[in-house]
């Protein structure tokens, strides 16, 4: 039967392979063949199995199938010695398509070149690529290649991929849906591949059953039988490589010395011994060449040959091929299996290994990073010069964004540093670099190693600060807080500046957790610190984050000077913006964030502490598209680095915008994601924001009882705020839902309890929200002063959505009091604001109220954008602003093809045929509901 007849079941019999015997993996091979089919729904497949189970063989056959179908193959194989070189795996993958890299737009091309160190670092060009831009560049590159023919990306032996490459590739893998690109990834069974979560389809290679094992043995040149056959099947445990190699060993002339006489050995050890035995009798030149190849462990043939290894055509490799240790394919020489490499390397004496590494270091003088690692491998003990070489390697890796590679180099440099203080310093620097990998366990390990090397209070403080810097971004808030304040308390006298740095991290944890006892602990330590311990910025940060209400006026008065200081330090702009947002000084917050994007681009491989404030500020200011863009970035970074709390924060903000826009099902999905990723007692802030989003989604549908139930959960049973900062801004929405669900009395008690607790410390914005809530909950004859107070302060125009809600509620009250003429002005303004924001449920409510007030609101066709998904709407709005597909992709972390696909599917729904029509269409959509309402004549 032809393999294309009868669907997937028809490929259960793959075509015979001319290479080595292939038995017992027919179903798995069919699955891979299905994956590389351009029509496959799964663009990414993880192939998991223990060493020797056949992962590479399966990948080879899938590659041949894809090549026969006309696909372009890009392949990278992990290399232990190169796992410490930033972007080495990515460089190996993309080197064959350098011409396509050169054809990318300038920013994307520069990002890839910077990562590969192709552009020298200069003061004007620091050479540190934005990790998200780099991910988009690689995604765009693969998408562009797919325009010509399908692309198959094969990643083998990924346990040895450098972390920087894995971060980029995992980012790309999440965005391959709809692209003519397939990614096959081989991973060792039980290994966790950073960035690739449980949602990636996984094909696990189980041990062969006895029947398949017997068939494989029957295909060997010397077919084992009898007791030998039984022992091989028993000890191989279904591992195909073990079956083949044990059979070869048993068939050799000195089989008795190669087969263990009794008791099973660990499989890898047993196989290594078999391979090592084949080295006996090889010519010295062949043994040396094999050792050099094993010590280099590089699949980059061009470097290997230029470094002095014999070329593939050299006869020195023939004995290694005959011993089934290596194979030559074209210009490549490779070990037949990673265990062969291990066997060759460990069979050599320590002196021979050292000589091999020194020889490679001499050959690789033009490759300083590889040279440094070979020198390190040749070191029998501490060596100041080699330690310094590794430190320089780390600096180069850091400049290119290779933080994991930098941390590894610094860690090894610390191990080779002769002096304990230098060693401790390097370990702290290693921890500082490792922070940006998101791997808290590694950071803690490095910090512990630093503590074991020194009693220097300054270094110990730095180690604690680095650990806390990452820990605050995890979900372990209770544990993290305890560590931070304990360390800060110990350093208040000896290192007050470091203690304040630790308190700054503890304050962020306090915000996330919302635990009030933490506020008292922070304040107690802060009072013990001298006022001149550090500049005013860190102390103001701790106070503003821990309690933005106590002494609010004083904190607000410090913001202008802090903003002026940040002019020379753009990385501090976000800090000023976050403090301003916490203090409800929204114009200043947004201004700081805008400047940060313009001047510094908020660049960095990790979300900053309280980075969600950026998105919240844009939500409150009515710049919802920018808020969603910020959420997209945080989500992308958080998923790559495994920081679930950052993803949850972004999801809660995103859910709120989606609810306001009327995308109820999408809003609920994002809010539930936030709740799933966090513990409500560890992350009260996320819990409150997600419940607020769910309440807004219910209200958008008119489900006010459900809305009230969600919003009631952000206050305790006694009516206190669950979170000191996140709960109170929801009092007006709580009141609105209460009025429509018969919960007026309970809600009134909650509002008054919160208002009384804040008293004069409430910001103008919060006072307006309390007034609006009181107006909603008051008896009709007493409501007007409260509604007027909610709209009295001109500064409240900076919160347009909240102002429009207050205007609409005042207008509704006026109309019900038969003051129809007075209701028309606030109605008109409210409707205009809702239209401009794209708050569709509120537009419809304001339209209905306008008609009831005797205003003429011309009915128009339904909002065409409402038929699109939230992501399609984002793309349409950006395209209407004149952005190209690539520019849109950079903002939303999508490939140009995906952007184009969304546009292609959207145009028919919008009733347009050309991109040039988008601007007018979007402007019309922002005025959903037709012309501004006018009184009926």
């Amino acid at each position: 039967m032809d393999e294309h007849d009868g669907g997937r079941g028809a490929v259960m019999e793959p075509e015979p392979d001319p290479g080595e015997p292939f038995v017992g993996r027919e179903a798995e091979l069919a699955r891979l063949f299905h994956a590389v089919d351009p029509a496959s729904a799964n663009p990414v497949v993880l192939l998991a199995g223990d060493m020797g189970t056949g992962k590479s063989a399966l990948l080879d056959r899938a590659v041949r199938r894809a090549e026969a179908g006309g696909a372009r193959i890009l392949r990278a194989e992990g290399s232990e010695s190169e796992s410490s070189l930033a972007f080495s795996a990515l460089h190996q993958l993309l080197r064959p398509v350098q011409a396509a890299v050169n054809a990318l737009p300038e920013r994307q091309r520069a990002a890839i070149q910077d990562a590969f160190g192709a552009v020298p670092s200069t003061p004007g060009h620091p050479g540190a690529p934005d990790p998200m831009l780099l991910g988009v560049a690689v995604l765009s590159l693969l998408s562009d290649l797919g325009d010509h023919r399908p692309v198959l990306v094969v990643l083998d032996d990924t346990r040895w991929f450098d972390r920087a490459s894995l971060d980029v590739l995992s980012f790309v893998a999440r965005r391959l849906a709809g692209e003519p690109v397939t990614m096959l990834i081989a991973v060792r069974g039980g290994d966790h591949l950073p960035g690739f979560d449980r949602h990636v389809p996984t094909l696990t290679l189980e041990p062969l059953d006895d029947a398949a094992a017997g068939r494989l043995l029957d295909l060997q040149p010397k077919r084992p039988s009898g007791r030998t056959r039984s022992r091989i099947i028993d000890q191989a445990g279904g591992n195909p490589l073990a079956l083949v190699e044990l059979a070869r060993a048993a068939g050799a002339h000195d089989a008795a010395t190669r087969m263990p006489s009794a008791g099973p050995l660990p499989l890898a050890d047993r196989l290594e011994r078999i391979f090592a035995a084949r080295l006996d009798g090889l010519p010295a030149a062949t043994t040396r060449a094999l050792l050099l190849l094993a010590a280099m462990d590089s699949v980059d043939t061009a470097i290997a040959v230029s470094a002095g290894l014999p070329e593939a055509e050299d006869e020195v490799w023939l004995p290694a091929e005959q011993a089934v240790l290596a194979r030559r394919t074209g210009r490549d020489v490779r070990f037949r299996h990673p265990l062969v490499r291990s066997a060759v390397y460990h069979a050599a004496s320590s002196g021979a290994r050292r000589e091999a590494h020194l020889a490679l270091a001499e050959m690789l003088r033009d490759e300083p990073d590889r040279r440094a690692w070979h020198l390190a491998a040749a070191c029998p003990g501490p060596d100041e010069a080699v330690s310094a070489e590794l430190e320089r390697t780390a600096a180069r890796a850091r400049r290119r964004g290779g933080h994991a590679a930098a941390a590894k180099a610094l860690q090894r440099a610390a191990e080779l540093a002769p002096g304990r203080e230098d060693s401790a310093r390097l370990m702290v620097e290693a921890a500082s670099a490792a922070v940006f990998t998101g791997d808290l366990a590694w950071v803690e390990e490095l910090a512990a190693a630093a503590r074991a090397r020194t009693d220097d209070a300054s270094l110990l403080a730095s180690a604690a600060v680095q650990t806390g810097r990452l820990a605050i971004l995890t979900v372990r808030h209770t544990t993290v807080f305890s560590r931070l304040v304990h360390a800060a308390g110990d350093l208040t006298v000896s290192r007050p500046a470091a203690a304040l740095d630790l308190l700054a991290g503890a304050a962020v944890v306090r915000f996330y957790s919302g635990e009030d006892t933490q506020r008292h602990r922070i304040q107690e330590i802060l009072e013990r610190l001298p006022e001149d311990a550090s500049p005013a910025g860190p102390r103001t940060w701790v106070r503003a984050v821990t309690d933005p209400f106590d002494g609010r006026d004083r904190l607000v008065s410090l913001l202008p000077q802090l903003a002026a200081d940040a002019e020379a330090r753009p990385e501090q702009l976000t800090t000023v913006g976050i403090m301003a947002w916490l203090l409800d000084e929204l114009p200043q917050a947004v201004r700081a964030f805008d400047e940060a994007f313009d001047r510094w681009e908020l660049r960095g491989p990790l979300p900053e502490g309280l980075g969600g404030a950026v998105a919240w500020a844009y939500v409150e200011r009515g710049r919802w598209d920018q808020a969603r863009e910020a959420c997209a970035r945080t989500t992308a970074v958080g998923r790559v680095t495994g920081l679930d709390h950052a993803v949850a924060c972004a999801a809660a903000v995103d859910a709120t915008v989606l609810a306001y826009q009327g995308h109820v099902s999408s809003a609920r999905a994002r809010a539930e994601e936030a709740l799933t990723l966090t513990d409500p007692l560890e992350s009260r802030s996320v819990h409150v924001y997600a419940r607020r989003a769910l309440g807004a989604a219910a209200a958008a549908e008119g489900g006010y009882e459900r809305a009230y139930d969600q919003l009631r959960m952000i206050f305790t049973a006694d009516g206190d705020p669950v979170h000191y900062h996140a709960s109170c801004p929801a009092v007006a929405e709580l009141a609105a839902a209460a009025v429509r669900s018969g919960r007026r009395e309970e809600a009134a008690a909650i509002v008054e309890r919160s208002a009384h607790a804040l008293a004069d410390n409430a910001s103008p914005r919060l006072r307006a929200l309390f007034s609006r809530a009181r107006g909603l909950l008051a008896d009709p004859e007493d409501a007007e002063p409260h509604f007027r107070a909610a709209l009295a302060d001109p500064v409240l125009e900076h919160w347009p959505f909240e102002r429009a809600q207050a205007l609409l509620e005042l207008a509704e009250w006026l109309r019900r009091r038969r003051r129809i003429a007075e209701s028309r002005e606030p109605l008109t303004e409210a409707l205009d604001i809702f239209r401009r924001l794209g708050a569709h449920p509120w537009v419809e409510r304001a339209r209905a109220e306008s008609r009831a007030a005797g205003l003429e609101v011309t009915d128009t066709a339904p909002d065409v954008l409402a038929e699109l998904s939230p992501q399609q709407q984002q793309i349409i709005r950006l395209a209407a602003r004149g952005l190209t597909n690539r520019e849109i992709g950079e903002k939303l972390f999508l490939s140009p093809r995906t952007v184009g696909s969304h546009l292609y599917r959207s145009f028919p729904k919008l009733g347009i045929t050309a991109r040039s029509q988008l601007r007018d269409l979007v402007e019309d959509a922002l005025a959903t509901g037709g012309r501004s309402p006018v009184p009926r004549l």
Side-chain angles (χ1 to χ4, degrees), residues 504 507-508 511 535-549 552 554-566 571-590 592-593 609-611 613-614 617 725 763:
V508 174
F511 180 89
R539 184 178 292 271
T540 306
W541 168 269
V542 172
R543 292 192 184 280
V545 175
T546 304
D547 187 349
F549 306 112
R552 178 182 179 277
R554 168 64 177 158
L555 293 172
V556 169
S557 71
L558 296 173
L559 289 178
Q561 184 58 52
L562 294 176
D565 294 342
E571 72 278 6
Q572 294 297 316
L573 285 169
T574 52
T575 301
V576 175
I578 291 168
M579 287 188 287
W581 173 74
L582 288 165
L583 295 164
D584 274 337
E585 293 295 307
L586 188 60
Q588 189 160 343
V590 171
F593 294 142
L610 283 187
V614 177
H725 188 269
S763 66

Side-chain angles (χ1 to χ4, degrees), residues 549 552-553 755-763 767:
F549 306 112
R552 178 182 179 277
D553 291 343
H756 177 75
L758 291 179
D760 293 337
N761 289 326
S763 66
R767 288 198 293 271

Side-chain angles (χ1 to χ4, degrees), residues 682-764:
E682 291 278 319
S683 301
R684 289 178 178 86
S685 60
V686 173
H687 169 79
V688 168
Y689 288 132
R691 294 296 174 191
R692 283 173 56 180
L694 289 170
E701 293 182 316
Y704 294 107
E705 288 192 10
R706 284 184 287 113
Y708 184 83
D709 289 341
Q710 292 292 341
L711 295 169
R712 180 63 183 85
M713 294 172 70
I714 68 177
F715 296 90
T716 68
D718 294 335
D720 291 323
V722 166
H723 188 273
Y724 65 98
H725 188 269
S727 292
C728 286
V731 290
E733 293 176 342
L734 176 82
V739 168
R740 292 168 174 81
S741 60
R743 314 283 187 88
R744 187 186 301 263
E745 184 175 340
E746 182 183 42
I750 292 173
V751 170
E752 294 308 320
R753 192 178 184 98
S754 295
H756 177 75
L758 291 179
D760 293 337
N761 289 326
S763 66

